[in-house]
Amino acid sequence: MTDKQLDLENARAYAQGEIFLLRQAGDGFDALVYNTTGFGPCPAEEFGAIDTEQLAQDTVSDRVWKNPRRFWMMDALTAAIAGEPRKLGGLMFNCLADMKMPADFDPQRDQSSMAYRPTKIHRNSAYKFLSGRPVFMLRSPDGITWVMQTFTDHVDHGLTESALPAMAERLTLPDGWTYKARTLDRDLTITTSGLANIVPDGLANMYQGCVDGVNNFDPWD
């Protein structure tokens, strides 16, 4: 972890791309997570053109996984920079996290293949969702609220920010899971120091869990 941090205002709907440099760790993978945030909104064509097999050779990685281009859903974010910026496939990226990939992770599939299975990621970050703005949430059977941090149109090509309030109609939720949209009546902050709990839905949108005191209040209630 460096002593530098990334600050982004007006983050909502900001396009970003993510590259995971994977190294074999037993039967699974450890990953360094690189994100285009901080170098301007991620250009779709240039990001889509990145050749992961060539990039694995260039970075001496066991594998490279390209997370589908997605859009931040908080209003402002701060994130510690975990390593030096790098040019990967022609675009500049910040190193924002490292993580152990889930045991059944398949680099040939997107995050919808891990839907509704929580995992953890090492990062230091602060997300701010402003009063008067909508948040989009999952509630798991154990009563944990999960707040959408990014959405993507990679799986559902018709998914836009304006469609998120009614997204429950597009999701096939497991028993005990619920989706809800709510307009905040006060600012919500989610601050992570070390480990963040995250979970994807069936459309590969990503949520952060309100656990271990990271949130200033539970926005579901």
Side-chain angles (χ1 to χ4, degrees), residues 108-153:
Q108 302 302 317
R109 303 170 70 184
D110 62 50
Q111 286 176 313
S112 63
S113 66
M114 300 177 278
Y116 311 107
R117 284 177 283 179
T119 190
K120 296 179 185 291
I121 183 170
H122 289 270
R123 73 159 182 244
N124 294 335
S125 61
Y127 296 162
K128 187 172 185 178
F129 302 80
L130 294 178
S131 177
R133 306 298 301 273
V135 291
F136 308 98
M137 301 172 287
L138 292 172
R139 187 83 154 187
S140 51
D142 52 4
I144 293 175
T145 299
W146 303 83
V147 179
M148 184 183 288
Q149 62 182 30
T150 62
F151 83 90
T152 180
D153 58 4

Side-chain angles (χ1 to χ4, degrees), residues 170-197:
R170 306 165 98 110
L171 295 173
T172 302
L173 293 166
D175 289 344
W177 286 77
T178 311
Y179 177 87
K180 183 167 78 172
R182 175 192 170 188
T183 299
L184 293 172
D185 57 9
R186 52 179 160 152
D187 292 350
L188 169 67
T189 58
I190 299 177
T191 305
T192 303
S193 299
L195 279 178
N197 294 273

